[in-house]
């Protein structure tokens, strides 16, 4: 027996329900498309960013707080000075005289921010004192000997009575003879010591530490021609580094052994409006030439550990 066809009204109702269900299904499906559809990762070119890394320094400051050890992933390269020529040294002397303003600025800002939450960065109970390891015996010996000579107008007769003689006496206290390697023809003592430091891998332009050597250029007219073409002419011993990056160094100047300051974040600033001294003058004004600050004539540091 042939089955009876459903009434036309019933067919219309079923079709309407089916359409409604299909529409609801589409709506539900669309609502879940972002989860169901495969995701496509779009890679955009991103320039590499040098991120500073923070390390606890190996040597703490003597007599003051040290600077935070901030290293860049791409520090300025230093050319090696070979015995056959001085092209590397010349390139370094012509380099940017203010190599680390950004890093030093980061140091000061970080310490100021930390002080808001932890209190003073230095002094009894300051977090900075807790962070830094005790000074090494090597650094303590070098700095202590240099500090003993502050105020002296004459040095021991075993060394020249100049800036190189001071650093030699300070380093001999730690058993390091800075001129044992000898000198090349025509080079002065400062350049000779720098050559040795560079050969030993001790030269750097960031993160000064107590006991480090500090090298300067054009601090006086060595060849007496009235021009700034004398190269490396001055050397000192770092005594301490303040939280704002201001370096106190001991050197033999025109008036004897003295302390001076240098801030590489603000190398052209002598004093702040508050009266705080950032950079001492280490080259006096002369005929046709202005005076120069320590930060302006800075070249590099050298660590005693590698010497």
């Amino acid at each position: 027996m042939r089955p009876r066809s459903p009434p036309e009204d019933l067919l219309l109702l079923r079709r309407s329900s089916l359409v409604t269900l299909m529409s609801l299904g589409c709506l539900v499906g669309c609502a879940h498309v972002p989860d169901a559809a495969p995701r496509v990762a779009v890679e955009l070119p991103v320039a590499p960013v040098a991120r500073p890394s923070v390390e606890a320094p190996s040597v703490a400051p003597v007599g003051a707080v040290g600077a935070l050890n901030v290293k860049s992933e791409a520090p300025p390269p230093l050319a090696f000075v070979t015995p056959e020529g001085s092209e590397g040294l010349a390139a370094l002397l012509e380099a940017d005289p203010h190599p680390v303003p950004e890093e030093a600025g980061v140091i000061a800002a970080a310490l100021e921010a930390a002080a808001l939450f932890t209190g003073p960065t230095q002094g009894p109970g300051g977090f900075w004192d807790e962070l830094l390891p005790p000074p090494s015996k090597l650094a303590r010996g070098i700095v202590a000997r240099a500090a003993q000579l502050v105020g002296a107008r004459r040095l021991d007769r075993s060394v020249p009575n100049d800036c190189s003689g001071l650093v030699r006496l300070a380093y001999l206290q730690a058993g390091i003879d800075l001129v044992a390697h000898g000198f090349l023809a025509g080079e002065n003592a400062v350049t000779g010591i720098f050559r040795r430091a560079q050969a030993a891998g001790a030269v750097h332009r960031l993160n000064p530490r107590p006991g480090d050597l500090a090298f300067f250029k054009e601090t006086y007219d060595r060849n007496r021609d009235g021009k700034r073409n004398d190269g490396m002419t001055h050397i000192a011993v770092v005594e301490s580094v303040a939280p704002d990056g201001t370096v106190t160094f001991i050197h033999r100047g025109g008036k004897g052994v003295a302390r001076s300051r240098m801030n590489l974040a603000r190398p052209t600033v002598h004093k702040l409006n508050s009266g705080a001294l950032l950079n001492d003058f280490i080259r006096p004004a002369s005929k046709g030439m202005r005076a120069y600050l320590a930060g302006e004539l800075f070249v590099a540091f050298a660590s005693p550990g590698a010497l």
Side-chain angles (χ1 to χ4, degrees):
M1 182 175 179
R2 189 174 184 180
R4 295 175 58 185
S5 300
E8 185 175 350
D9 292 343
L10 182 58
L11 289 174
L12 291 175
L13 179 60
R14 289 178 178 175
R15 290 173 182 172
S16 177
S17 300
L18 180 60
V19 170
T20 301
L21 290 173
M22 291 177 64
S23 300
L24 289 174
C26 290
L27 289 174
V28 173
C30 290
H32 290 80
V33 165
D35 293 333
R39 299 186 179 187
V40 179
V42 179
E43 296 184 3
L44 298 177
V46 179
V49 178
R51 300 178 180 271
S53 61
V54 179
E55 300 176 359
S58 57
V59 178
V62 176
V65 172
L68 193 63
N69 189 357
V70 179
K71 294 184 178 180
S72 171
E73 292 180 359
L78 295 176
F80 182 76
V81 182
T82 64
E84 292 77 21
S86 59
E87 293 82 1
L89 176 58
L92 178 60
L93 294 176
E94 293 174 1
D96 181 6
H98 319 317
V100 291
E102 293 183 2
E103 289 84 351
V106 169
I107 294 170
L111 291 174
E112 289 176 5
L116 295 176
F117 297 94
T118 63
T121 57
Q122 54 182 308
F127 86 93
W128 193 246
D129 293 331
E130 300 298 328
L131 175 64
L132 296 175
S136 70
K137 182 178 180 181
L138 185 70
R140 288 199 308 268
I142 292 171
V143 173
R145 181 60 176 138
Q148 287 175 354
L149 296 169
V150 171
R153 297 297 300 262
R154 301 289 305 180
L155 298 175
D156 189 289
R157 292 184 178 181
S158 63
V159 297
N161 189 37
D162 58 15
C163 62
S164 69
L166 169 69
V167 299
R168 286 172 62 183
L169 286 177
Y171 268 62
L172 282 172
Q173 179 70 26
I176 301 172
D177 185 353
L178 291 174
V179 298
H181 61 292
F183 300 103
L184 299 179
E187 73 178 1
N188 62 12
V190 177
T191 303
I193 295 172
F194 180 82
R195 176 171 55 83
R196 169 180 173 166
Q198 223 178 10
V203 175
H204 61 96
R205 300 177 79 177
L206 300 174
N207 314 317
R209 295 286 173 264
D212 279 6
L213 294 172
F215 297 88
F216 301 87
K217 64 181 180 180
E218 316 294 351
T219 54
Y220 73 101
D221 189 3
R222 182 169 178 258
N223 58 15
R224 300 182 181 179
D225 65 353
K227 300 178 181 179
R228 293 186 63 228
N229 58 359
D230 301 282
M232 200 124 23
T233 55
H234 197 56
I235 190 170
V237 173
V238 173
E239 181 181 29
S240 60
V241 187
D244 67 349
T246 299
V247 175
T248 298
F249 59 91
I250 299 173
H251 63 133
R252 171 66 168 86
K255 297 181 179 181
V257 181
R259 290 181 173 90
S260 293
R261 277 153 289 193
M262 169 178 65
N263 189 299
L264 296 177
R266 301 176 182 178
T268 61
V269 178
H270 176 47
K271 286 184 178 181
L272 298 177
N273 293 334
S274 63
L277 196 155
L278 296 185
N279 289 276
D280 281 294
F281 288 98
I282 60 171
R283 177 166 182 160
S286 57
K287 184 178 180 180
M289 193 173 298
R290 67 176 177 85
Y292 285 86
L293 298 166
E296 296 180 286
L297 303 184
F298 167 77
V299 175
F301 299 108
S303 302
L307 297 173

